[in-house]
């Protein structure tokens, strides 16, 4: 009970929704003049003009009406063709549904599956909204942690399997991962899928960073190791690959049997995505490969610039990621990452995300998004160096 008659009427799971540590830190620094924001997971470039033009043209042509709840057929065809050319996997237009971005796809996945008391094993540290999405449905998160060993993030699959019990409804995997850049290889995906299949458990795979990889063409997808009608939901998004975070466009790849259910849930939530945005989505898929290539090159350059500096700072422990656009590093002696991130705002005027926001295994870490221009990154690092880089000179000369 909050003692406030209005708030006391809230559904318990809603009232208890945690505010993410990222927001707590952002509220501390939001209005500070000149702050260098590296806390959120997005690039600093606007959406390319040809994507905006496709939306504007469709709007002018009068494509302003309700559409099929799961997206117009040409878009679902484009998504199926994209899945084929990207992962070599055939999916039908009844197996892909357009939704209001990756976040909605996740919410919808949990809405379909999670009953109060169900458990979801989530591999973390991971983006906090995953935990909240389970919890708001009355589910319980069981944390399977990846660990930083010898300069690489590793998952112990046997430890993950040991977390499963009769209440386990789903296993959640975000690969490539936010905030670590950890990537699950195909053999691990196959082993996990087999385990899930044998137990009748769902796999919810968040693959929104599949294009942001630096050592190969594309990240391995669960779609490549799954059999048709496996209990698999793959969450995807236009946000990261095509610089479209503000458009709120994403998609879910799912067993065909779920299409009518998804249509019903979309009906009673958003009732679908505006048609002119769907035309922009088609343009991105069909003509946007260069956007992905450019972004990947920019992020790789950003990663190398950031890691060349951070690796020389002795107080930090970190692994140069092969994917996504984050540096996630441990700071020697830091025990409260929210307070430390606030101190960084006060003293360096740089916004970083606190590691504790990403689950219990994230405390002790900070996250920096390197999807920014070299000039911005250099300015940010210069400002951070007095706090995080103490002792760097001795090590360089040692
Ligand atoms: C792991 C992960 N999944 C999903 C999303 C959701 O992205 P969007 O809702 O913009 O598609 C994000 C955004 O940061 C993310 O990091």
């Amino acid at each position: 009970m909050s003692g406030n008659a209005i708030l006391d009427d809230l559904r318990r799971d809603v009232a208890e929704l945690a505010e993410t540590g990222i927001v707590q830190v952002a509220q501390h620094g939001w209005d500070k003049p000149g702050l260098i924001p590296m806390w959120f997971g997005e690039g600093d470039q606007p959406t390319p003009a040809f994507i905006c033009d496709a939306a504007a043209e469709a709007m002018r042509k009068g494509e302003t009406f309700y559409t099929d709840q799961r997206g117009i057929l040409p878009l679902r065809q484009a998504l199926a063709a994209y899945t084929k050319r990207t992962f070599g996997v055939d999916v039908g237009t009844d197996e892909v549904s357009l939704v209001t971005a990756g976040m909605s796809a996740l919410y919808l996945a949990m809405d379909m599956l999670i009953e109060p008391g169900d458990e979801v094993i989530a591999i973390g540290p991971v983006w906090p909204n995953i935990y909240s999405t389970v919890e708001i449905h009355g589910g319980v998160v069981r944390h399977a942690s990846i660990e930083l060993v010898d300069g690489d993030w590793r998952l112990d699959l046997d430890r993950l399997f040991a977390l499963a019990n009769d209440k386990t409804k789903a296993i959640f995997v975000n690969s490539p991962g936010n905030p670590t850049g950890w990537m699950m290889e195909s053999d691990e995906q196959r082993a996990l899928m087999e385990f899930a299949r044998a137990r009748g458990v769902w796999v919810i795979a968040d693959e929104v960073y599949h294009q942001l990889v630096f050592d190969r063409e594309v990240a391995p997808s669960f779609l490549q190791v799954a059999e048709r009608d496996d209990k698999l939901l793959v969450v995807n998004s236009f946000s990261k690959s095509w610089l479209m975070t503000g458009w709120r466009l994403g998609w879910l790849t799912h067993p065909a049997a779920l299409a009518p259910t998804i249509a019903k849930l979309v009906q009673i939530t958003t009732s679908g995505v505006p048609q002119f945005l769907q035309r922009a989505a088609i343009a991105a898929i069909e003509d946007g490969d260069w956007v992905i290539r450019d972004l990947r090159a920019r992020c790789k350059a950003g990663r190398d610039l950031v890691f060349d500096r951070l690796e020389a700072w002795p107080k930090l422990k970190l692994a140069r990621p092969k994917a996504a656009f984050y540096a996630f590093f441990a700071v020697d002696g830091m025990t409260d990452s929210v307070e430390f991130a606030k101190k960084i705002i006060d003293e360096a005027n740089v916004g970083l995300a606190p590691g504790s926001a990403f689950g219990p295994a994230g405390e002790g870490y900070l996250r920096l998004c390197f999807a920014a221009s070299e000039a911005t990154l250099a300015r940010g690092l210069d400002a951070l160096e007095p706090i995080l880089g103490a002792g760097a000179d001795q090590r360089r000369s040692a």
Side-chain angles (χ1 to χ4, degrees):
M1 289 282 153
S2 69
N4 176 315
I6 305 279
L7 298 180
D8 285 347
D9 281 348
L10 289 176
R11 191 160 65 77
R12 192 171 55 85
D13 295 328
V14 174
E16 288 177 0
L17 258 186
E19 183 168 58
T20 87
I22 308 177
V23 173
Q24 277 177 45
V25 171
Q27 278 167 350
H28 185 77
W30 209 259
D31 296 324
K32 277 199 79 189
L35 181 115
I36 306 170
M38 296 173 141
W39 39 28
F40 296 136
E42 62 184 348
D44 60 353
Q45 295 169 293
T47 307
F50 79 96
I51 299 176
C52 302
D53 291 346
E57 194 189 322
M59 210 186 297
R60 270 195 297 271
K61 274 194 191 147
E63 295 199 58
T64 54
F65 296 96
Y66 292 132
T67 69
D68 185 310
Q69 303 298 304
R70 296 190 304 109
I72 55 177
L73 188 59
L75 176 51
R76 282 184 285 119
Q77 285 165 335
L79 286 169
Y82 175 81
T83 307
K84 178 74 179 169
R85 82 179 143 93
T86 309
F87 300 116
V89 175
D90 287 304
V91 295
T93 52
D94 52 351
E95 294 170 300
V96 282
S97 296
L98 180 78
V99 290
T100 316
M103 191 55 244
S104 264
L106 275 167
Y107 196 89
L108 211 80
M110 304 301 176
D111 231 9
M112 285 193 284
L113 297 180
I114 304 305
E115 307 228 41
D118 281 350
E119 293 189 4
V120 176
I121 300 174
I123 301 173
V126 75
W127 192 51
N129 291 18
I130 311 304
Y131 306 130
S132 305
T133 312
V134 174
E135 284 156 5
I136 201 172
H137 288 91
V140 176
V141 176
R142 304 265 280 163
H143 297 272
S145 303
I146 49 170
E147 273 156 20
L148 191 50
V149 185
D150 298 334
D152 214 353
W153 289 95
R154 306 255 171 85
L155 170 70
D156 185 333
L157 263 183
D158 290 328
R159 280 204 351 233
L160 182 154
F161 294 157
L163 293 174
N165 60 39
D166 305 348
K167 296 193 193 129
T168 308
K169 188 65 180 278
I171 301 172
F172 177 84
V173 187
N174 167 220
S175 167
N178 171 8
T180 57
W182 165 74
M183 202 167 6
M184 195 180 227
E185 297 295 347
S186 293
D187 54 340
E188 294 174 301
Q189 291 182 330
R190 192 167 291 109
L192 193 133
M193 199 69 237
E194 277 167 14
F195 177 84
R197 192 181 296 132
R199 293 218 164 211
V201 162
W202 283 80
V203 173
I204 303 173
D206 176 335
E207 300 185 352
V208 306
Y209 294 98
H210 67 276
Q211 287 287 6
L212 276 164
V213 286
F214 309 126
D215 68 339
R216 60 188 91 189
E217 270 308 299
V218 72
S221 170
F222 269 93
L223 294 170
Q224 294 165 312
V225 299
E227 290 167 12
R228 184 152 252 135
D229 290 332
D230 263 340
K231 294 185 173 180
L232 172 67
L233 296 171
V234 179
V235 168
N236 234 312
S237 174
F238 288 79
S239 289
K240 314 291 172 176
S241 306
W242 291 284
L243 301 166
M244 295 175 75
T245 49
W247 293 67
R248 317 310 302 132
L249 289 168
W251 74 97
L252 196 59
T253 310
H254 53 80
L258 289 181
T261 306
I262 292 172
K264 279 188 275 183
L265 286 174
V266 170
Q267 172 74 44
I268 58 167
T269 48
T270 58
S271 295
V273 170
Q275 187 166 359
F276 47 91
L277 301 190
Q278 299 190 41
R279 293 288 176 199
I282 295 174
I285 296 174
E286 293 185 344
D287 302 318
D289 285 0
W290 65 270
V291 181
I292 295 170
R293 273 196 305 275
D294 285 6
L295 178 65
R296 199 184 284 174
R298 191 163 186 268
C299 288
K300 190 168 188 225
R303 175 197 68 170
D304 290 339
L305 186 150
V306 166
F307 276 78
D308 286 350
R309 294 274 296 270
L310 296 188
E311 280 168 0
W313 296 356
K315 282 206 309 191
L316 308 189
K317 186 172 147 211
L318 68 172
R320 196 175 284 231
K322 298 186 189 79
F325 43 45
Y326 305 104
F328 192 62
F329 50 86
V331 183
D332 197 18
M334 178 180 73
T335 49
D336 184 336
S337 53
V338 169
E339 284 312 309
F340 201 81
K342 288 183 186 167
K343 172 179 144 89
I344 288 177
I345 290 172
D346 294 340
E347 294 178 15
N349 217 12
V350 177
L352 299 182
S356 58
F358 302 92
E363 185 52 290
Y365 285 78
L366 294 169
R367 189 192 73 176
L368 175 161
C369 176
F370 54 70
S373 72
E374 291 192 8
T376 304
L377 292 174
R379 264 196 315 126
L381 292 164
D382 286 346
L384 289 172
E385 183 152 10
I387 305 174
L388 296 176
D393 287 335
Q394 291 92 305
R395 194 162 97 165
R396 261 187 230 133
S397 57

